[in-house]
Amino acid sequence: MYSIKMRASERENHISGAEKIVPESGIVPVAGALIERGMHHAKGEADFINLKIEKVREEDIRYLDSLPVTTIEVADYRESYEIIARFLSDLGGKGSVKEIMELFRQTWSMRGAMLLDVDSLKRLEPDRERGIRVTYMDRERTGGQISSEKDHYMEAIVLATKVANAPGIVGEICISDDPDYVTGYVCSREKGYVRITRMKEMGSPFGGRIFLYSSGQCDVAETIEYLEKQRVIVRNVFPIQSEKDAVGNVSSGWLQPVISENAASIVQQQTPDRFAFIEEELSRLKKQHLYRKQKTICSGQSKYVEVDGKRLLMLASNSYLDLISDPRVKAYVSQIALSYGAGSGGSRLTTGNTDLHVALEEKLAAYKKCEAVIVFNTGYVPNLATISALAGEESVIFSDELNHASIIDGCRLSRAKVVKYKHNDMEDLERRIREYAPHRGLAVSDAIFSMDGDILQLPEFVEICRRYQLISMIDEAHSTGVLGETGHGIWEQYGYRCARPDIIMGTLSKSVGSEGGFVCADAGIIDYLRNKARGYIFSTSLSPVTVAASLKALEIMENDAGMFARLRENIRTFCAALQECGIHAESETAIVPILVGDEKKALQMQEKLFDAGYYISAIRYPTVAHNQARLRAAVMASHTEEELRGAAKVIVECFSDCENGFCEAI
């Protein structure tokens, strides 16, 4: 058997750790997967990964039975203190729950756990910065299955079982330091493993472990030796069961007095259920006000839409020029549908390449002032397909920390080293590039950032990429048809004063009002993508009807520069109207973010605006950071001043109502 340990850090700050005990055949796959886990973690991108592999003698392994498990569901982290208080009381220690939770603050920066004397509240770990690191442990596997996927519960029960069986240890309290995982636990040999479903707020990166030691049972050095050196494999560790059928019975009597009507509705013994994670995750999303529901539009999409029988002013659409329902587009699309039919019949490289597709690529190349263009089926795919085709394991990708999900996923798919730099901070970009130069690489950024509406510093971005021989790539999803005097995008916005980015990605589903995405570049790069971009090669091409809509919309955009002037004026009008009412709103783009903060409040305001006749979307985690929820207003060229000022007035009223508690019933 072999012990494999992985520790990942970013700028010397610990972000991830894991370990397995596997047979020789599992060394290579498990080591590779643990490295992958260390590279991609919610707490950051690792710049240092330590992997340690050592042989373990069978006679040195101690086999333990997994602790019995109960689960308590609580409404919020404050109710978890009731369970912790009873747990501490039964241990007979002198520390109160308030004192213990205050001590948790000292664990946030530690690399290991705190070892605490429950009688004196004295810390016992020899190195307070390092803490106690519990190592050499894993669960018993059957059928030769070896997995390195992250499973919070399965890994926690292994560690808890080892700790609970350590000499001198009378209990443990754990709060996960993963921002996306709020379930924690208390445990001991007597109480078993007690899962508490919410021990902190979602998004909080803070957490830690406190091992509770009772003096007089053994020497503390013996306890530490066991925790850090004893090889342990835990038997009978099963996946967590769904809690939907719980009846509220409590197997351990010490818990019963703790459970109030509000504190815990579900406590049960756990047995396997392969779908448990689905219901648990949906329940968590609903409680966190992060659950997403769809609204159904029952009309053509323009500046007014019909939803559930209500006529709403649309202030959420990406159709910034309102070309979706333009009569000229619809007439041309109808004509093409009669001639070409509904579909394309195959990929572009087989039967799906019509003269319409070729004409669209030629028109886009002229519009974006580049040699060649390749069109994809959606706006999401070009980033995935292009980034993964241009970068590989030997590459480094420099990505803005607020880039769109499609860029993030393209980076992951490439398997390149991904280095995030501070948002729109060209000094930080250059500093990070210097750390990795010289490398084959790519720097990628949104042109307009979709949630904040701010604009990339393009001249500096391109100049830095040229200086360090990096491919420069920008995502113009939200800037084509918006930026520049005639809507040609961010390069025009800067007066064509800088070199053109090597690769410009864009979409046809926003200002153009159709569907699909595209990439502009020199002819050699486009030829390379036609042969290497899997999202292009293996997808059925866009319908001729969709292509026709894009062709006609681009023709209108080329011949009506006035629509871009109207859009810019509407943006100024809307921001000014909000500012006059006391709401901070500033944007040079069609995206006007209105920061709310709290996710629940943002949802309440969205529904109140809907009732008042306005369709504005509440944007929440994970699209934006926790407690950065916002209303994302999107302005159209076709809006009138009266409509925009009316919307601003109602938004202000919604803010006032929610602050006064009038939204709570929604």
Side-chain angles (χ1 to χ4, degrees):
M1 302 292 282
Y2 291 82
S3 166
I4 306 178
K5 300 175 187 171
M6 180 276 293
R7 295 290 181 268
S9 59
E10 180 184 28
R11 302 181 190 179
E12 299 185 355
N13 295 317
H14 173 80
I15 61 172
S16 181
E19 62 180 272
K20 303 288 178 183
I21 297 177
V22 300
E24 185 174 355
S25 60
I27 292 176
V28 172
V30 170
L34 288 180
I35 292 171
E36 180 70 18
R37 184 200 295 192
M39 292 176 64
H40 304 291
H41 194 275
K43 293 182 69 176
E45 297 285 347
D47 52 27
F48 179 81
I49 296 178
N50 185 313
L51 193 72
K52 182 179 181 180
I53 303 174
E54 58 185 305
K55 198 168 188 177
V56 176
R57 298 187 305 172
E58 181 68 30
E59 57 267 31
D60 291 336
I61 298 175
R62 182 178 176 185
Y63 286 82
L64 301 172
D65 288 323
S66 173
L67 293 172
V69 179
T70 54
T71 295
I72 302 179
E73 183 171 298
V74 295
D76 61 44
Y77 71 91
R78 297 173 187 86
E79 292 182 356
S80 71
Y81 290 4
E82 295 182 44
I83 288 89
I84 297 170
R86 177 52 60 92
F87 178 75
L88 292 170
S89 175
D90 279 17
L91 293 180
K94 295 179 181 179
S96 68
V97 67
K98 181 179 180 181
E99 290 172 307
I100 297 294
M101 299 316 288
E102 280 297 319
L103 284 168
F104 257 108
R105 294 180 180 275
Q106 299 175 32
T107 69
W108 294 349
S109 61
M110 294 172 60
R111 288 174 287 171
M114 179 183 294
L115 184 61
L116 188 70
D117 190 314
V118 292
D119 298 312
S120 64
L121 296 191
K122 179 182 178 182
R123 292 181 59 176
L124 303 174
E125 63 274 15
D127 183 340
R128 290 196 171 190
E129 182 179 346
R130 179 182 183 274
I132 303 299
R133 299 289 291 274
V134 184
T135 58
Y136 298 109
M137 59 193 170
D138 202 353
R139 63 185 176 90
E140 185 179 52
R141 297 177 180 84
T142 57
Q145 295 181 345
I146 300 172
S147 173
S148 59
E149 293 298 316
K150 178 72 173 178
D151 187 316
H152 289 280
Y153 165 73
M154 301 283 268
E155 294 182 6
I157 189 72
V158 168
L159 185 146
T161 299
K162 179 177 180 181
V163 171
N165 283 275
I169 295 294
V170 295
E172 177 192 355
I173 306 172
C174 174
I175 301 174
S176 171
D177 63 357
D178 191 321
D180 297 325
Y181 192 73
V182 298
T183 298
Y185 65 84
V186 296
C187 76
S188 69
R189 279 193 300 272
E190 292 73 24
K191 312 297 185 188
Y193 180 91
V194 182
R195 297 175 71 242
I196 306 173
T197 57
R198 181 163 176 160
M199 293 184 75
K200 67 175 184 178
E201 286 298 311
M202 178 60 68
S204 169
F206 302 122
R209 301 177 187 275
I210 296 180
F211 301 151
L212 303 170
Y213 170 86
S214 181
S215 58
Q217 294 197 17
C218 69
D219 184 75
V220 70
E222 183 183 348
T223 302
I224 295 173
E225 175 73 13
Y226 176 94
L227 292 171
E228 296 192 338
K229 302 295 184 183
Q230 177 63 55
R231 279 66 168 159
V232 164
I233 289 181
V234 180
R235 295 177 296 213
N236 303 317
V237 179
F238 300 110
I240 200 72
Q241 182 185 358
S242 168
E243 296 162 355
K244 64 184 179 180
D245 300 320
V247 295
N249 62 305
V250 183
S251 60
S252 300
W254 71 277
L255 284 174
Q256 190 64 56
V258 178
I259 301 173
S260 63
E261 291 183 3
N262 294 325
S265 59
I266 300 173
V267 181
Q268 70 175 86
Q269 293 293 334
Q270 304 301 319
T271 55
D273 182 344
R274 67 187 185 278
F275 296 121
F277 72 97
I278 295 176
E279 185 142 350
E280 187 174 287
E281 179 63 8
L282 290 175
S283 175
R284 181 189 68 79
L285 290 172
K286 290 174 182 176
K287 289 175 184 175
Q288 296 292 320
H289 310 292
L290 301 176
Y291 182 73
R292 284 162 168 75
K293 295 186 292 187
Q294 298 178 154
K295 292 188 183 299
T296 301
I297 295 175
C298 303
S299 65
Q301 189 168 144
S302 187
K303 70 172 181 175
Y304 281 98
V305 295
E306 183 178 319
V307 180
D308 296 337
K310 292 177 63 71
R311 186 170 182 263
L312 306 176
L313 179 69
M314 174 57 77
L315 272 164
S317 175
N318 293 326
S319 180
Y320 306 127
L321 301 176
D322 202 4
L323 289 172
I324 289 177
S325 295
D326 188 288
R328 294 165 290 183
V329 173
K330 291 194 286 187
Y332 185 61
V333 164
S334 299
Q335 175 188 332
I336 293 299
L338 291 172
S339 300
Y340 284 77
S344 66
S347 73
R348 291 286 300 281
L349 296 176
T350 56
T351 63
N353 189 43
T354 70
D355 55 345
L356 293 172
H357 292 82
V358 174
L360 176 59
E361 289 177 338
E362 290 174 349
K363 186 176 282 289
L364 282 167
Y367 194 82
K368 302 301 287 187
K369 301 185 185 302
C370 63
E371 284 187 3
V373 166
I374 180 172
V375 169
F376 293 84
N377 285 32
T378 72
Y380 196 90
V381 170
N383 280 329
L384 264 69
T386 301
I387 294 171
S388 61
L390 291 171
E393 293 181 352
E394 72 286 3
S395 306
V396 180
I397 301 174
F398 300 91
S399 176
D400 189 290
E401 63 182 352
L402 295 188
N403 274 340
H404 188 265
S406 58
I407 295 177
I408 295 170
D409 290 350
C411 293
R412 289 172 176 169
L413 189 61
S414 74
R415 303 186 73 82
K417 168 71 177 177
V418 180
V419 179
K420 289 190 292 186
Y421 62 90
K422 294 176 184 176
H423 173 53
N424 216 1
D425 186 332
M426 297 302 105
E427 288 184 5
D428 192 53
L429 170 60
E430 184 167 15
R431 183 183 65 79
R432 299 309 301 268
I433 291 173
R434 283 174 176 167
E435 292 177 3
Y436 291 90
H439 268 92
R440 169 184 162 187
L442 167 77
V444 58
S445 174
D446 283 336
I448 290 177
F449 293 88
S450 59
M451 293 301 116
D452 292 313
D454 53 332
I455 302 171
L456 169 69
Q457 299 178 56
L458 182 68
E460 294 90 339
F461 178 82
V462 173
E463 194 276 328
I464 289 170
C465 291
R466 296 272 172 125
R467 188 186 312 155
Y468 293 96
Q469 293 297 301
L470 293 173
I471 296 172
S472 57
M473 177 175 175
I474 62 168
D475 180 337
E476 283 219 87
H478 295 275
S479 60
T480 298
V482 174
L483 294 183
E485 191 69 23
T486 57
H488 284 72
I490 190 171
W491 197 25
E492 184 187 25
Q493 178 80 2
Y494 284 99
Y496 303 110
R497 294 189 303 273
C498 64
R500 180 176 58 79
D502 296 313
I503 297 170
I504 297 174
M505 171 268 170
T507 62
L508 299 164
S509 58
K510 295 179 173 50
S511 290
V512 180
S514 181
E515 294 176 13
F518 60 90
V519 169
C520 312
D522 290 344
I525 295 174
I526 297 303
D527 191 36
Y528 175 85
L529 292 177
R530 289 195 197 280
N531 286 275
K532 299 292 288 185
R534 295 171 65 84
Y536 177 84
I537 296 169
F538 297 105
S539 290
T540 297
S541 69
L542 286 170
S543 159
V545 174
T546 301
V547 174
S550 297
L551 279 167
K552 180 56 70 171
L554 284 166
E555 179 186 309
I556 294 169
M557 291 165 65
E558 287 175 328
N559 296 319
D560 184 5
M563 67 171 59
F564 308 112
R566 291 192 296 274
L567 178 60
R568 289 192 294 272
E569 181 59 32
N570 281 348
I571 293 165
R572 286 191 290 268
T573 296
F574 187 55
C575 289
L578 289 167
Q579 290 167 5
E580 288 166 11
C581 296
I583 292 179
H584 176 75
E586 196 172 333
S587 181
E588 296 181 69
T589 72
I591 300 164
V592 182
I594 302 165
L595 188 64
V596 177
D598 179 71
E599 281 84 6
K600 180 180 180 182
K601 183 177 177 180
L603 277 178
Q604 291 170 342
M605 291 183 66
Q606 172 187 273
E607 293 307 310
K608 194 166 182 64
L609 284 163
F610 181 89
D611 291 341
Y614 296 92
Y615 196 128
I616 301 179
S617 298
I619 306 298
R620 297 156 288 149
Y621 179 84
T623 309
V624 294
H626 275 295
N627 297 317
Q628 291 291 309
R630 65 202 58 193
L631 299 175
R632 180 187 180 274
V635 179
M636 290 182 178
S638 57
H639 285 140
T640 67
E641 180 177 351
E642 181 182 8
E643 289 165 344
L644 294 171
R645 288 191 174 277
K649 183 178 181 223
V650 175
I651 290 169
V652 172
E653 291 171 355
C654 288
F655 263 110
S656 177
D657 286 350
C658 284
E659 286 171 1
N660 292 322
F662 298 146
C663 290
E664 291 301 318
I666 296 176

